[in-house]
Amino acid sequence: MRPNTGSNSVSILDDVEAIRRIDLGNMGMMISSFPALLKKAVELSRSLVLPRDYRSVKEIVVCGMGGSAIGGDLFRDLSQRKIPLSVSVIRDYDLPRHVDERSLVVAVSYSGNTEETLESFKQAYGRGSRMVAIASNGLLEKACSKLKIPFLGVPSGYTPRSALPLLFIPLLKLAEEIGFPLVGEGELDEACRLIEKYNSKLTPETPLSQNPAKQLAAGLHEKLPIIYSLGHLKSVALRYKDQINENAKMRAMCDQLPEANHNEIETWEKVDFKEILHVVFIDSRFKNPYVAESIGALVSSIEREEVGLSMVKPLGETMLEEVLSAIILGDWLSYYLAILRGVDPAPVRLINNLKKKHEERTKYLEKFEEWLAETGEDNRKT
Amino acid sequence: MRPNTGSNSVSILDDVEAIRRIDLGNMGMMISSFPALLKKAVELSRSLVLPRDYRSVKEIVVCGMGGSAIGGDLFRDLSQRKIPLSVSVIRDYDLPRHVDERSLVVAVSYSGNTEETLESFKQAYGRGSRMVAIASNGLLEKACSKLKIPFLGVPSGYTPRSALPLLFIPLLKLAEEIGFPLVGEGELDEACRLIEKYNSKLTPETPLSQNPAKQLAAGLHEKLPIIYSLGHLKSVALRYKDQINENAKMRAMCDQLPEANHNEIETWEKVDFKEILHVVFIDSRFKNPYVAESIGALVSSIEREEVGLSMVKPLGETMLEEVLSAIILGDWLSYYLAILRGVDPAPVRLINNLKKKHEERTKYLEKFEEWLAETGEDNRKT
């Protein structure tokens, strides 16, 4: 079975001109900026200063959607072993009841106008939570300015998904500000250097024969990708899925070990549609030894069924480097999949149509502005 | 494209004898027992009494894997609006650092011998956490008995996935015990009655023409199911996926609103493999009005591509009834999918092989027993 849409042959991946003709929205430029955005994010994060009393919070709650939320997941995975506070990510309108004046609520919306995030922000304000927001613009910036809430402004002009370094790295600084440094300054600089070097191996100018992202894309061309990950890279698989969805407008699945060995593995017993499946397994040098031992069982089940399998070994000596190198590889992978499908990676027509029509009907942004007009710092229940 | 395995025609769903010949492991009996297990769970839960000082915990952490973990997710979704404590579910060996002596750690393992859960249990004990365990047997029972940790023993003889009521309902009692009643006694009894009645509509004896589970299965036969859910039913979609994986040995995807509208929706723009996709949308009467408004966009994108879509409207007047009625429908759905594929639903050969070989190599259970032999109540850092 072939996909029911016209697809390019893999050789297009070495035709830089042809790639440019498909990439009308300039996503290639945006992904290429990943190392520069990383450096920019490190620099910008220095300006994030939080009030002293934020050090007494009981938990960190990151509110965001889509490309603005995934930085929260990566941060949570990294912080699990290092921060004595629970970190949760809320992708919805309503805050859980446990969020109160002792919670640190981080509202992340690249546009600054994401409805769900604004609503969570408003609810957090009503509960007297410690707050901070990250955005390039929009009502989130306006609200922080009026309500005197710490705000980190990041450069605009990217898609939220390509702005990931700007939305993720500040969370590391935020942890440091409340007393829990996750990475040293040197570690961040080192990671920036590694990613800059690695990126040059992944851009369209590097041919398929030497380009791991193009090679991965060639394996996944006209397939349904299944991404497995583990340990501190659990959410990296979700990033791959989301990037494949948005850039290539293509379906993908993700799952994690050790949980997949308790249910998903059964799908490798009597495999339907095996000719369209291709597995990407994102490994880590930091995995728990028992998980390491059980990877073989899943892998051999997949191999026995003769389903395609690509192993990704992220680069780097630190957990952070693994996260960032795995992500930039996946970002380029999703880009090349778009090219192979002949779809312009940058525009997300269905998401934008939905947002527009939704806003016309709910008038949420107007309601938020009205709330803001009526609200002052002194209204807070603290 | 057809699946590459022999499949039965839909008419087999009305042939009770033929169903029995496939269901050698008696999964039909186990799913039929859901209402009885629900009642049993309500009764058993009464015996769960926790020390008074458990009322001062800062969070609830449920540790479990697969069918023993999903009750924790359902509980977390239900508790979001009602409990001022964060609830998290850990499906891994290592506990996050925030788990300490002020955490309530609930170890759930139907067999009582799940390696990941035992390791989390051991770590929680080392940190002086408040603890409670739920199991039918195994080292978890033994450890609780020796270490004087509250333990709820549940009947054995089921698969972990079919024992869900026994592993989920006690969490509601646990919440009540620490001061946060989620449901009233009457509410539980009412739910038991509803589920008993509903179950009789879903069993093999009820013909396809009047059986919503058989009808759903007929729609998903030879397809790749995509399950969407929302609100307090978010984890119900995961339960559907896991049950389809384990009972039917069949692949499935799950996703949630509103997040899916920020990435997944783009996969409905240029749809590959559309002839094998079929969407199941699990709705709720308790959804946030803004989410309600945005469902239409996703649904019309799916319909425009002429991909099959089944809407599930869970029964019941309460959130708990919705959860339970959606789950029993999904359990039967996964059962009928197994029958249509001609696979015996109960055995999970790959999971069991993996566990066995893994244990042979790691000798984890022996190590746990050694730890237990050396450990006493007084060793706790409190």
Side-chain angles (χ1 to χ4, degrees), chain A residues 92 234 270 293 341 361, chain B residues 92 270 293 341 361:
Chain A
D92 213 327
K234 284 199 178 93
K270 184 180 177 182
E293 205 289 319
R341 282 162 68 76
R361 282 192 293 259
Chain B
D92 213 327
K270 184 180 176 181
E293 204 290 317
R341 282 163 67 77
R361 282 192 292 258

Side-chain angles (χ1 to χ4, degrees), chain B residues 11 53 117 150 203:
Chain B
S11 63
D53 71 345
T117 313
T203 56

Side-chain angles (χ1 to χ4, degrees), chain B residues 39-217:
Chain B
K39 271 195 211 165
K40 182 78 194 166
V42 173
E43 197 185 293
L44 273 175
S45 297
R46 290 204 186 98
S47 65
L48 183 70
V49 179
L50 297 179
R52 191 83 195 168
D53 71 345
Y54 278 36
R55 289 180 173 243
S56 62
V57 296
K58 64 170 185 176
E59 65 176 345
I60 300 171
V61 178
V62 181
C63 300
M65 302 300 296
S68 299
I70 189 77
D73 294 279
L74 302 173
F75 171 66
R76 183 198 53 222
D77 289 355
L78 267 178
S79 67
Q80 293 270 297
R81 302 192 196 181
K82 298 188 178 175
I83 294 190
L85 300 176
S86 93
V87 177
S88 52
V89 182
I90 305 298
R91 288 177 158 86
D92 213 327
Y93 290 85
D94 298 312
L95 288 177
R97 212 184 120 191
H98 62 81
V99 179
D100 62 21
E101 70 286 352
R102 292 174 50 239
S103 308
L104 171 50
V105 173
V106 191
V108 184
S109 163
Y110 186 60
S111 69
N113 285 330
T114 308
E115 206 177 283
E116 293 91 334
T117 313
L118 289 171
E119 177 63 21
S120 300
F121 176 96
K122 187 178 125 183
Q123 292 184 10
Y125 189 80
R127 296 189 198 179
S129 302
R130 307 284 190 270
M131 296 172 73
V132 51
I134 305 172
S136 70
N137 203 331
L139 288 177
L140 208 47
E141 178 169 24
K142 196 173 165 183
C144 287
S145 165
K146 174 165 182 200
L147 304 174
K148 307 271 183 291
I149 289 171
F151 176 79
L152 186 73
V154 299
S156 60
Y158 295 87
T159 61
R161 61 194 182 280
S162 57
L164 176 65
L166 300 170
L167 306 174
F168 164 56
I169 297 295
L171 300 176
L172 304 176
K173 178 62 185 331
L174 176 146
E176 192 188 311
E177 277 289 298
I178 61 168
F180 305 110
L182 272 174
V183 290
E185 181 83 3
E187 203 176 323
L188 266 171
D189 292 343
E190 196 65 46
C192 287
R193 274 191 293 274
L194 175 85
I195 296 308
E196 189 163 20
K197 206 173 147 194
Y198 189 38
N199 182 55
S200 67
K201 282 193 65 177
L202 306 172
T203 56
E205 289 71 26
T206 303
L208 179 64
S209 59
Q210 293 155 50
N211 189 321
K214 289 184 180 177
Q215 288 161 8
L216 262 183

Side-chain angles (χ1 to χ4, degrees), chain A residues 1-6 58-59 64-66 80-87 90-98 102 114-116 119 222-224 226 228 231 234 241-242 245-246 249-253 255 257-259 261-277 288 290-291 293-294 297-298 301 304 341-343 347-352 354-355 358 361-362 364 367, chain B residues 1-6 58-59 64-66 80-87 90-98 102 114-116 119 222-224 226 228 231 234 241-242 245-246 249-253 255 257-259 261-277 288 290-291 293-294 297-298 301 304 341-343 347-352 354-355 358 361-362 364 367:
Chain A
M1 189 185 69
R2 286 176 57 84
N4 51 18
T5 49
K58 64 169 186 177
E59 64 176 345
M65 303 300 297
Q80 293 271 297
R81 301 193 197 183
K82 298 188 177 175
I83 294 190
L85 299 177
S86 94
V87 177
I90 305 297
R91 290 178 157 88
D92 213 327
Y93 290 85
D94 298 312
L95 289 177
R97 212 184 120 191
H98 63 81
R102 293 174 50 238
T114 309
E115 205 177 286
E116 292 91 334
E119 176 64 20
E222 305 191 339
K223 301 279 180 180
L224 175 65
I226 302 173
Y228 289 116
K234 284 199 178 93
K241 176 210 148 284
D242 288 348
N245 291 167
E246 290 187 63
K249 301 19 159 180
M250 178 175 154
R251 199 167 306 285
M253 311 175 71
D255 218 316
L257 282 187
E259 175 66 6
N261 276 342
H262 290 260
N263 36 63
E264 239 273 323
I265 191 173
E266 286 297 327
T267 63
W268 298 103
E269 167 80 308
K270 184 180 177 182
V271 187
D272 273 352
F273 317 123
K274 64 170 81 172
E275 71 273 33
I276 68 168
L277 302 177
N288 174 300
Y290 294 112
V291 177
E293 205 289 319
S294 73
L298 180 60
S301 303
R304 195 184 47 241
R341 282 162 68 76
V343 303
V348 282
R349 200 179 60 89
L350 295 184
I351 295 173
N352 291 338
L354 184 152
K355 278 188 189 158
H358 187 78
R361 282 192 293 259
T362 65
Y364 183 84
K367 286 178 197 159
Chain B
M1 188 186 69
R2 288 174 56 85
N4 53 18
T5 49
K58 64 170 185 176
E59 65 176 345
M65 302 300 296
Q80 293 270 297
R81 302 192 196 181
K82 298 188 178 175
I83 294 190
L85 300 176
S86 93
V87 177
I90 305 298
R91 288 177 158 86
D92 213 327
Y93 290 85
D94 298 312
L95 288 177
R97 212 184 120 191
H98 62 81
R102 292 174 50 239
T114 308
E115 206 177 283
E116 293 91 334
E119 177 63 21
E222 304 191 340
K223 301 278 181 182
L224 175 64
I226 302 174
Y228 289 117
K234 284 200 178 92
K241 177 209 146 288
D242 288 347
N245 290 168
E246 290 188 63
K249 317 337 171 198
M250 177 175 155
R251 200 167 306 285
M253 310 177 71
D255 218 318
L257 282 187
E259 174 66 7
N261 276 342
H262 290 260
N263 36 63
E264 239 273 323
I265 190 172
E266 285 298 326
T267 63
W268 299 103
E269 167 80 308
K270 184 180 176 181
V271 187
D272 272 353
F273 316 123
K274 64 170 81 171
E275 71 273 29
I276 67 168
L277 302 178
N288 175 299
Y290 294 112
V291 177
E293 204 290 317
S294 74
L298 180 61
S301 302
R304 194 183 51 242
R341 282 163 67 77
V343 303
V348 283
R349 199 177 62 88
L350 295 186
I351 296 173
N352 291 339
L354 184 152
K355 279 187 190 161
H358 187 78
R361 282 192 292 258
T362 64
Y364 183 84
K367 286 178 197 159

Side-chain angles (χ1 to χ4, degrees), chain B residues 19-20 22-38 40 110 155-166 195 199 202-205 239 243 246-247 249 327-328 331-332 334-335 344-348 352:
Chain B
I19 290 175
R20 280 207 194 108
I22 296 171
D23 179 18
L24 297 171
N26 238 344
M27 180 53 78
M29 179 280 290
M30 290 190 259
I31 300 178
S32 269
S33 305
F34 193 101
L37 291 180
L38 209 51
K40 182 78 194 166
Y110 186 60
S156 60
Y158 295 87
T159 61
R161 61 194 182 280
S162 57
L164 176 65
L166 300 170
I195 296 308
N199 182 55
L202 306 172
T203 56
E205 289 71 26
R239 168 70 174 182
Q243 285 288 76
E246 290 188 63
N247 285 335
K249 317 337 171 198
I327 280 180
I328 192 164
D331 284 5
W332 280 116
S334 67
Y335 177 79
D344 189 1
V348 283
N352 291 339

Side-chain angles (χ1 to χ4, degrees), chain A residues 204-237:
Chain A
E205 290 71 26
T206 303
L208 178 65
S209 59
Q210 293 155 51
N211 189 321
K214 289 183 180 177
Q215 288 161 7
L216 261 184
L220 288 171
H221 184 34
E222 305 191 339
K223 301 279 180 180
L224 175 65
I226 302 173
I227 324 287
Y228 289 116
S229 63
L230 43 77
H232 77 111
L233 300 178
K234 284 199 178 93
S235 302
V236 171

